[in-house]
Every structure is written in structure tokens, then in C-alpha cells.
Amino acid sequence: EVQLLESGGDLVQPGGSLRLSCAASGFTFSNHAMSWVRQAPGKGLEWVSVISGGGRNTYYADSVKGRFTVSRDNSKNTFYLQMNSLRAEDTAIYYCAKDVGITGTTPTFDYWGQGNLVTVSS
Amino acid sequence: DIQMTQSPSSLSASVGDRVTITCRASQSISNFLNWYQQKPGKAPKLLIYLASSLQSGVPSRFSGSGSGTDFTLTVSSLQPEDFATYYCQQTYTTPPEGNTFGQGTKLELK
């Protein structure tokens, strides 16, 4: 059974940093790209970032480019989102999502984590 | 960036109704279009990929069609568990850029 377990969500002040983690099980982790998708309170879905199966290729939404960094450790079946220079508009539930493919260039998400709330506020 | 626009934004229907949700892309995306269902407080669930392919385990009352710029998601006979918010997502842009999701359509019980 595929499982994605997120952690790291918290309340942080504007300008602060936070790292989210997503621990995966139930599939060959390195064979799949992984993405972060967020949802602001009461709003729609916004794709944030993707990392390819081997970790070589990463892509970001313009709204987070230069502030967020996605990485993965295939030996631990875990991937991460390092979020720096956080803004109030980054407040959202952050979901990790498994891609059906390995490259991450056409993200299609067949499994999702339960979501982790990040609140940016003073 | 390719913009994805769903219509309607909300829809009221009854159990047993046939409903259709539309998603329009600002430029042609061939058939690179997915549909997701999200229930309150839950993560989204993949329903349809590549415009018309039914994801494993999804009931056959869900179907998708379209290509180019215009796409539809149809539920042939609404069941109580189908009342949720539905999102389309384009996967044509490679690598991904901008927000690939539509704004969502909330399907409510009449």
C-alpha cells in the first residue's frame, strides 16, 4: 500500500524558514518523481515544485522560485521542501504527491499525502 | 503560461443527475489534461488522466473527453459520495510552469 507521510508544518514568522518532509512507502521511491502542491485556506490547488526520480532535475512555480528548494534522499525514501523567506501568502496546506512517471516533466499525481499546514504570521 | 478555466465555478445537482463540468485551456494542450476530485478536509484524488483514461479504481460513471482547448468531465448518475470539488490540471507544459490547475468546480447537493 502506498503511503505518504508529511511532517514539518508549523507557525512561522514572515521572513522565516521551514522544512517539510514527506516519507514514502509501498512503492519503488527512486522510480517516481515527487511534487509539492499547496492549497491556501478556502482556495484552489497550486502546484509548487517537482523533483525527478533520481533527484537531478527540479522545477518550481514562479511564486516560489529562488525561495524554496526541493530535494530527496532515495536511501531514506524521503523528500523535502526547504522554504526560506516565507511570506504571508505562503500560508497553505502543503501536500506531497507521487508522480506516475520518473521525470517530473508532466506531473500526474496518483497518490497524495494527508497535507501539512504551514502558517506564516507574526 | 497556459491558463485553465473551469465552468461553472459551482453547481447544484441531485442524486441520480447527469452532470458535466467544463475545463478550457488558453491554448491547445492536446490531451494532456487530468481531473481530480477533492472532498472537504481530504487530499485530492486522481479520476481521469490524459483527458479520457479512467484511473484504476474510479467508478465508471466518471468519464472525460476533449482535446485541444476544450475538455469535459461527466458524471453519468450522481451518487452521494460524488459531491465534492473537481479540478482540472494541464500537463502539456514541459517542464511545468505556472499554476497547472484550474480554479475548481464545487458540486453541491441541491
Side-chain angles (χ1 to χ4, degrees):
Chain A
E1 179 191 5
V2 171
Q3 290 192 334
L4 300 172
L5 187 60
E6 298 147 355
S7 60
D10 206 345
L11 169 65
V12 61
Q13 292 188 338
S17 298
L18 203 61
R19 188 177 84 155
L20 302 181
S21 301
C22 178
S25 61
F27 64 100
T28 304
F29 186 65
S30 58
N31 284 355
H32 293 271
M34 301 295 295
S35 273
W36 292 97
V37 178
R38 68 184 181 183
Q39 187 169 36
K43 302 297 184 182
L45 301 172
E46 180 187 15
W47 170 78
V48 172
S49 180
V50 62
I51 184 167
S52 60
R56 176 177 295 183
N57 297 312
T58 58
Y59 307 105
Y60 300 90
D62 287 345
S63 57
V64 306
K65 201 172 292 183
R67 301 187 299 124
F68 289 12
T69 302
V70 62
S71 62
R72 66 191 295 160
D73 184 339
N74 285 348
S75 69
K76 295 182 179 179
N77 284 4
T78 302
F79 83 118
Y80 309 93
L81 185 67
Q82 177 67 43
M83 303 183 291
N84 298 332
S85 302
L86 282 161
R87 306 166 179 167
E89 54 265 35
D90 295 317
T91 295
I93 295 172
Y94 284 73
Y95 294 100
C96 63
K98 170 185 170 289
D99 199 320
V100 298
I102 192 170
T103 66
T105 53
T106 56
T108 294
F109 313 122
D110 58 351
Y111 289 92
W112 297 65
Q114 82 283 1
N116 219 221
L117 179 62
V118 172
T119 303
V120 183
S121 175
S122 54
Chain B
D1 294 359
I2 297 175
Q3 304 302 315
M4 306 301 296
T5 304
Q6 292 181 229
S7 60
S9 295
S10 64
L11 174 61
S12 295
S14 301
V15 173
D17 284 354
R18 177 185 179 92
V19 298
T20 297
I21 297 169
T22 297
C23 179
R24 175 165 291 175
S26 59
Q27 65 185 74
S28 177
I29 58 170
S30 184
N31 67 334
F32 290 94
L33 192 285
N34 301 327
W35 289 99
Y36 297 85
Q37 175 195 67
Q38 187 180 32
K39 297 180 180 179
K42 300 295 185 181
K45 172 186 175 182
L46 178 64
L47 299 177
I48 303 284
Y49 62 95
L50 292 175
S52 60
S53 295
L54 193 67
Q55 174 68 358
S56 176
V58 174
S60 58
R61 63 181 180 272
F62 290 93
S63 63
S65 66
S67 66
T69 60
D70 295 318
F71 301 86
T72 59
L73 173 70
T74 298
V75 187
S76 60
S77 179
L78 276 173
Q79 298 302 299
E81 62 268 28
D82 300 335
F83 293 94
T85 300
Y86 294 84
Y87 294 92
C88 64
Q89 178 210 17
Q90 65 89 3
T91 61
Y92 178 82
T93 308
T94 302
E97 62 181 18
N99 191 11
T100 59
F101 291 95
Q103 83 278 15
T105 295
K106 187 174 184 179
L107 179 54
E108 299 176 301
L109 180 62
K110 185 182 290 184

